[in-house]
Amino acid sequence: MANSRSGDSMIARVVRVLETFEADRTVQSTSEIGRRAGLPSSTVHRIVDQLADEGLLEFDEDHNARLGMRLWELALRGSTALRLRQAALPHMERAQAVLRQHTQLAVLERGEALFLERLSHPDAGANIARVAGRLPLHASSAGLVLLAYAEADIRNPVLAGPLTAVGPATITDPARLRIELARIKRTGFAAAPASIEAVSTGVAVPIREAGRVIAALSAVLPRESYPDRAIPVLREASQRIEADLRAARS
Amino acid sequence: MANSRSGDSMIARVVRVLETFEADRTVQSTSEIGRRAGLPSSTVHRIVDQLADEGLLEFDEDHNARLGMRLWELALRGSTALRLRQAALPHMERAQAVLRQHTQLAVLERGEALFLERLSHPDAGANIARVAGRLPLHASSAGLVLLAYAEADIRNPVLAGPLTAVGPATITDPARLRIELARIKRTGFAAAPASIEAVSTGVAVPIREAGRVIAALSAVLPRESYPDRAIPVLREASQRIEADLRAARS
DNA sequence: GCACCAGTTCCCATTCAATGGGAATTCCTC
DNA sequence: GAGGAATTCCCATTGAATGGGAACTGGTGC
């Protein structure tokens, strides 16, 4: 049988293979990949070998597979993610030097907040956000900013719920969330105490390019600290990021 | 004709499509991709549409293609590159705070130095190294370190040359390069004045994991500065990175 | 407004890259 | 040595993929 019984395209299968790798699963045997990707053993061995030939996967000395540096290189070098985080990094570092907690950069991706960068002070508290990780839009300050400025066709499905609680103060009532999103648009920032962790407050501001919100810059602070102090720091950083993005496009 | 006349696999074609995106070419029409990838127009339109369906590419409002955030996410989240640069970043920042120039992290990839991270002080001089960019091994301090500790099957083809000059003091004589590599292994660092730019000196040290050199940490300094001052800073950073990598694996 | 050009979309006859079951081999653990 | 899991290999089968070509769309220049 020359082609898949399921009608899959090859590209869809490749994506399913790559999706089996996660932050907590960076190494696995080819057979494990096949089980997770739902592919027959001989098929997955062939696909994984081809991906390794092209450098998209690599084998370690135990013949387990990991994501290849070539994949990293191809995915990064011409990407919007790299452009955004390189424009942002110096300003995030400056903000971080003042705030000395967590400073993060996130974009809206498939109905969630995808974190492009996270800087963390060694003494800062716990933070579940991860680089290349996701969080629900309604349950993080960055996500709330992204949601507030999103097109209706993205915002409405989120508001239609369900809105799952992640922390003790996650907003789970759609009506309250609408009010909060309107407030974010009016004030230009999100402050989300205990949205994820009881002992933390997230604060976020938008980053705009060509009139649209393309990312959110956020800080995660101890609950008892004053977010009012972080907001101007984040705003200034955001404005400088926007200026650098404009300069880079000229 | 069901499959390619050239005998290409689908995966090889996808890689050729992704390879058309570079740091200086982040947006292009599908027809341009096809020309660069050497694919017929109807074929490349189909492949690009499938890649976009999976989020590996995205279209902007002018219907030009760019690398997709989903590709970035899949390539990053379980990758060695992310693990390395996250272990390295705090220590690079500390080194950078002292040196206030460029601080870089590179790995050996396909016979070249691939840069995973670069931190640059606003006042620092020019530097052609780029994140997700490559430099020849013999023509950068990080590359020289990676080459010095590489397996013979990687080192020998480089020494077999040709060794192209990149800057005024790039080593292009294989015999001299062998001597320099031996010196690097003996002293544990590379110092490469004017290897790339006449006004700069590169200094690099190895980063080891499980007894092998997996990356190089480097700094690019003004030519007239004393590299002797940078070496202990880079060494300390490297040792802390190694400690963090060990801790992360326990 | 028309001509021209480039990019995109669509169609479809053709076909070989891809399939996956199954056997054999290898490696590891007990 | 047995058992189990992973890997490698084989190969008859076949439909996802091919790509030429036509039609359509949009932009530019005259």
Side-chain angles (χ1 to χ4, degrees):
Chain A
M1 184 175 296
N3 287 286
S4 70
R5 289 174 178 160
S6 58
D8 288 335
S9 70
M10 186 55 148
I11 287 172
R13 291 184 151 200
V14 165
V15 168
R16 282 190 5 231
V17 166
L18 296 179
E19 282 174 341
T20 63
F21 292 87
E22 296 180 356
D24 297 323
R25 191 191 302 130
T26 61
V27 167
Q28 52 193 332
S29 70
T30 304
S31 298
E32 281 180 276
I33 293 171
R35 283 194 295 279
R36 290 191 173 107
L39 293 169
S41 192
S42 51
T43 303
V44 71
H45 275 89
R46 198 172 18 83
I47 291 176
V48 166
D49 284 349
Q50 285 185 29
L51 291 169
D53 287 344
E54 300 288 345
L56 306 191
L57 295 178
E58 292 165 358
F59 292 111
D60 66 14
E61 62 275 15
D62 296 321
H63 210 265
N64 286 318
R66 61 175 73 246
L67 294 173
M69 279 294 173
R70 182 65 173 155
L71 175 65
W72 180 88
E73 180 184 11
L74 289 178
L76 262 283
R77 70 184 186 182
S79 69
T80 296
L82 183 61
R83 181 180 69 91
L84 271 178
R85 60 178 296 287
Q86 284 191 287
L89 200 55
H91 308 294
M92 289 176 72
E93 283 166 343
R94 199 175 270 123
Q96 177 73 354
V98 173
L99 301 176
R100 304 171 75 79
Q101 295 294 324
H102 305 283
T103 306
Q104 305 168 167
L105 178 69
V107 295
L108 176 62
E109 174 65 14
R110 294 182 171 197
E112 293 181 297
L114 175 67
F115 288 85
L116 301 191
E117 187 58 274
R118 166 183 145 176
L119 302 181
S120 297
H121 194 270
D123 299 329
N127 180 3
I128 68 171
R130 282 165 142 165
V131 175
R134 294 168 167 249
L135 284 177
L137 292 174
H138 70 290
S140 60
S141 57
L144 288 168
V145 165
L146 295 168
L147 189 59
Y149 292 96
E151 302 294 317
D153 67 312
I154 292 171
R155 194 169 56 253
N156 289 341
V158 173
L159 287 163
L163 298 167
T164 308
V166 178
T170 308
I171 300 173
T172 54
D173 171 27
R176 265 199 64 209
L177 184 54
R178 283 187 193 278
I179 293 168
E180 180 62 16
L181 296 180
R183 197 198 61 75
I184 291 167
K185 285 192 91 170
R186 192 169 62 250
T187 61
F189 69 88
S195 181
I196 296 180
E197 319 245 5
V199 296
S200 300
T201 290
V203 184
V205 298
I207 295 173
R208 290 181 171 83
E209 185 177 38
R212 297 203 301 198
V213 172
I214 58 164
L217 183 66
S218 66
V220 178
L221 312 168
R223 176 73 180 276
E224 70 278 8
S225 72
Y226 290 99
D228 289 12
R229 180 169 162 269
I231 292 160
V233 176
L234 290 177
R235 273 190 171 132
E236 179 177 353
S238 173
Q239 281 155 8
R240 290 177 183 277
I241 293 167
E242 288 167 356
D244 282 1
L245 289 173
R246 279 194 298 273
R249 282 190 299 139
S250 304
Chain B
M1 182 174 298
N3 287 286
S4 71
R5 288 173 178 161
S6 58
D8 288 335
S9 71
M10 187 53 149
I11 288 171
R13 291 184 152 200
V14 165
V15 168
R16 283 193 1 237
V17 165
L18 296 179
E19 282 174 341
T20 63
F21 292 88
E22 297 181 353
D24 297 323
R25 191 190 302 132
T26 62
V27 167
Q28 53 194 331
S29 71
T30 305
S31 297
E32 280 180 275
I33 293 172
R35 281 194 296 277
R36 290 192 173 109
L39 293 171
S41 193
S42 52
T43 303
V44 71
H45 275 89
R46 198 170 20 81
I47 292 178
V48 166
D49 283 349
Q50 286 185 29
L51 290 169
D53 287 345
E54 300 288 345
L56 306 191
L57 295 178
E58 291 165 359
F59 291 112
D60 67 15
E61 62 274 16
D62 296 322
H63 211 265
N64 287 317
R66 62 176 73 243
L67 294 173
M69 279 292 172
R70 183 65 174 155
L71 175 64
W72 179 88
E73 180 184 12
L74 290 178
L76 262 283
R77 71 185 186 182
S79 69
T80 296
L82 182 62
R83 181 178 70 92
L84 271 178
R85 59 177 298 287
Q86 284 190 286
L89 200 55
H91 307 293
M92 288 176 73
E93 283 166 345
R94 199 174 272 124
Q96 177 72 352
V98 173
L99 301 175
R100 306 172 74 81
Q101 296 294 325
H102 305 282
T103 306
Q104 306 169 168
L105 179 68
V107 296
L108 176 63
E109 174 65 14
R110 296 186 169 195
E112 293 183 296
L114 174 66
F115 287 85
L116 302 191
E117 187 58 275
R118 165 184 146 177
L119 301 181
S120 298
H121 194 271
D123 298 331
N127 180 4
I128 68 171
R130 281 166 144 165
V131 176
R134 294 167 168 251
L135 284 176
L137 291 174
H138 70 290
S140 61
S141 57
L144 288 168
V145 165
L146 295 168
L147 190 59
Y149 292 96
E151 301 294 317
D153 67 312
I154 292 170
R155 193 169 58 253
N156 288 340
V158 173
L159 287 163
L163 298 166
T164 309
V166 177
T170 308
I171 300 173
T172 53
D173 171 25
R176 264 199 64 209
L177 184 54
R178 284 187 193 277
I179 291 169
E180 180 63 14
L181 297 180
R183 198 198 60 75
I184 290 167
K185 285 193 89 170
R186 192 169 63 248
T187 60
F189 69 89
S195 181
I196 296 179
E197 318 243 3
V199 296
S200 300
T201 290
V203 184
V205 298
I207 296 172
R208 289 181 172 81
E209 186 177 37
R212 297 203 301 199
V213 172
I214 58 164
L217 183 65
S218 66
V220 178
L221 313 168
R223 176 73 181 276
E224 70 279 9
S225 71
Y226 290 98
D228 289 12
R229 179 169 164 272
I231 292 160
V233 176
L234 291 178
R235 272 189 171 132
E236 178 177 351
S238 171
Q239 281 155 7
R240 292 178 182 275
I241 293 166
E242 288 167 355
D244 283 2
L245 289 172
R246 279 194 298 273
R249 281 190 300 136
S250 303

